[in-house]
């Protein structure tokens, strides 16, 4: 039996009827019976967190726990986050979970890849002296993405531009895309010049990076939720913390500049609690994004970026229903009234 929903379809804002047949959406009324599961409200393509790392019990201990992974992606789903990108996982997704009918859609990028010359690499990094081969292998083994560490601390030199450029060209040659962790000014600049597909974090991003990213079509994923929380706990009277706070202020400024330059800004939390992408939307609004753009950063724009069709003819059957328009009241994202995932009602 088909499912039927009626409401204001976002982002176009048109009051419409849509039907779900299997895992696809249609606007043409099908023959046979249909069960109405929503008859008013605002219909949104299911929320997306484009930067999340489930799979550990604590943030301090980088140890893969498949049970924690299952619990944390369920927390995402229960909050209406119906698609996830993992730019770095500590282990393999448990068999059967990726395609489970109640599991969010998942886009993986394999392990965090750290160049052997990058100092102070963390325990969870996959350190390699052949970054090109490792990046291509991770890209081909996962969903067309790899995750590079462009830098790791403020004091040490970042990965050189020529290394990042060579890796990026090799990944692009096999049809893949590169997400780059960057939190130092030179690290962000090297990654932007190298033509990576998404800058993750971007603390200390030099102004010139905005033009570079716009010209190359790179997306910006600032993960403000994680950095706002971290900045609040850091003492401000030592050099490293001062760099951190200044970098956080620069990130906030660059969000609006990136949007104004035509760069796609996307919502990623990079932190617990899982299922908290609504907070990232609120941070993006506070940084100066129009509310509709900030909501899109966690919904239709994110899905388009990941190749997951939204509420269009033949699109994926992931729908969240809200009582109010989230473009006017972003806080309503915390309270989905109805959720359909993979064509099944999960709330």
């Amino acid at each position: 039996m088909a499912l039927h929903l009626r409401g204001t379809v976002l982002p176009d804002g048109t009051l419409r009827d849509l039907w779900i047949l299997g895992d696809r959406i249609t606007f043409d009324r099908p023959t046979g019976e249909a069960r109405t599961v929503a008859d008013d409200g605002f219909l949104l393509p299911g929320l997306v967190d484009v930067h999340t790392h489930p799979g550990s019990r604590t943030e301090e201990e980088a140890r893969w726990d498949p049970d924690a992974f299952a619990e944390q992606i369920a927390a995402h789903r229960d909050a209406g986050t119906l698609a996830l990108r993992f730019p770095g996982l500590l282990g393999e997704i448990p068999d059967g979970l990726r395609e489970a009918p109640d599991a969010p859609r998942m886009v993986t990028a394999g392990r965090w890849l750290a160049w052997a010359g990058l100092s102070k690499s963390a325990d969870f990094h996959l350190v390699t002296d052949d970054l090109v081969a490792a990046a291509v292998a991770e890209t081909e083994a996962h969903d067309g993405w790899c995750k590079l560490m462009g830098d790791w601390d403020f004091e040490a030199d970042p990965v050189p531009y020529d290394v990042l450029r060579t890796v990026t060209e090799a990944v692009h040659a096999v049809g893949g895309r590169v997400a780059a962790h960057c939190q130092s000014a030179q690290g962000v600049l090297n990654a932007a010049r190298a033509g990576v597909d998404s800058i993750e974090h971007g603390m200390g991003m030099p102004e010139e990076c905005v033009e570079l990213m716009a010209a190359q079509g790179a997306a910006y994923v600032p993960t403000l939720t994680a950095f706002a929380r971290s900045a609040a706990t850091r003492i401000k009277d030592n050099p490293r913390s001062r760099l951190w706070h200044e970098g956080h202020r620069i990130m906030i400024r660059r969000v609006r500049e990136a949007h104004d330059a035509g760069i796609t800004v996307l919502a990623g939390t990079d932190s617990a609690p899982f299922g908290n992408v609504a907070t990232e939307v609120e941070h993006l609004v506070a940084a100066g994004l129009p509310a509709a753009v900030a909501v899109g950063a966690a919904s239709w724009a994110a899905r388009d970026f990941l190749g997951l069709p939204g509420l269009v003819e033949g699109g994926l059957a992931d729908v969240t229903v809200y009582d109010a328009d989230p473009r006017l009241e972003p806080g309503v994202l915390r309270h989905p009234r109805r959720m359909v995932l993979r064509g099944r009602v999960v709330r």
Side-chain angles (χ1 to χ4, degrees):
M1 178 184 295
L3 299 180
H4 167 246
L5 299 92
R6 178 174 175 79
T8 302
V9 176
L10 299 182
D12 64 350
T14 303
L15 179 63
R16 302 187 69 177
D17 293 275
L18 65 82
W19 289 266
I20 293 174
L21 294 171
D23 192 21
R24 295 290 166 172
I25 288 170
T26 181
F27 293 100
D28 295 326
R29 185 186 184 98
T31 58
E33 294 185 22
R35 178 166 67 99
T36 298
V37 296
D39 58 7
D40 64 357
F42 293 81
L43 312 184
L44 202 68
L47 297 178
V48 184
D49 190 330
V50 301
H51 191 125
T52 181
H53 304 292
S56 294
R57 289 292 174 189
T58 67
E59 294 182 1
E60 294 75 22
E61 183 181 9
R63 184 176 63 84
W64 179 248
D65 184 329
D67 291 333
F69 177 85
E71 293 168 12
Q72 290 159 0
I73 67 165
H76 274 299
R77 178 204 61 220
D78 292 346
T81 309
L82 306 185
L84 307 167
R85 183 183 65 149
F86 309 132
L89 283 180
L90 292 168
E92 295 298 324
I93 298 172
D95 290 343
L97 185 55
R98 182 179 176 123
E99 299 303 329
D102 60 349
R105 300 184 196 271
M106 306 178 201
V107 176
T108 69
R111 297 286 300 276
W112 293 262
L113 299 178
W115 177 56
L118 185 65
S119 71
K120 298 184 180 179
S121 293
D123 292 342
F124 58 87
H125 293 167
L126 181 61
V127 179
T128 175
D129 56 6
D130 192 346
L131 197 58
V132 172
V136 170
E138 291 296 288
T139 299
E140 294 182 328
H142 294 91
D143 294 306
W145 279 94
C146 68
K147 171 68 175 292
L148 302 183
M149 307 307 297
D151 54 26
W152 187 237
D153 56 61
F154 288 107
E155 292 82 9
D157 291 336
V159 179
Y161 159 75
D162 59 344
V163 173
L164 288 178
R165 181 67 181 177
T166 300
V167 173
T168 301
E169 289 176 346
V171 171
H172 287 173
V174 298
R177 293 198 280 180
V178 177
H181 165 108
C182 304
Q183 61 184 42
S184 68
Q186 191 61 47
V188 183
L189 181 59
N190 288 352
R193 290 179 60 217
V196 303
D197 300 279
S198 68
I199 297 287
E200 314 292 314
H201 318 308
M203 290 188 79
M205 181 188 292
E207 187 174 355
E208 64 189 288
C209 290
V210 173
E211 183 176 348
L212 287 168
M213 293 169 66
Q216 298 178 38
Y220 183 31
V221 187
T223 63
L224 296 176
T225 299
F227 283 83
R229 186 182 66 173
S230 179
T233 63
R234 284 180 175 263
I235 300 171
K236 299 182 181 181
D237 60 355
N238 66 69
R240 182 174 178 80
S241 288
R242 284 196 293 272
L243 281 171
W244 189 273
H245 283 279
E246 177 59 20
H248 182 222
R249 286 192 291 271
I250 290 173
M251 290 169 72
I252 293 170
R253 188 160 65 247
R254 295 289 180 257
V255 164
R256 180 60 197 233
E257 293 171 355
H259 167 68
D260 289 346
I263 293 169
T264 298
V265 178
L266 299 173
T269 58
D270 191 31
S271 63
F274 296 90
N276 195 32
V277 76
T279 295
E280 185 69 12
V281 171
E282 292 167 353
H283 280 297
L284 293 174
V285 172
L289 283 196
V293 175
V295 173
S299 181
W300 55 83
R303 284 180 172 266
D304 183 63
F305 178 72
L306 295 177
L308 304 174
L311 302 187
V312 297
E313 184 66 34
L316 296 174
D318 300 339
V319 188
T320 48
V321 183
Y322 300 93
D323 290 325
D325 188 341
R327 300 170 301 176
L328 302 176
E329 301 178 36
V332 76
L333 293 177
R334 300 181 184 280
H335 308 289
R337 186 217 309 165
R338 177 74 75 191
M339 299 189 303
V340 179
L341 170 62
R342 301 177 187 261
R344 299 174 66 251
V345 176
V346 293
R347 175 183 295 175

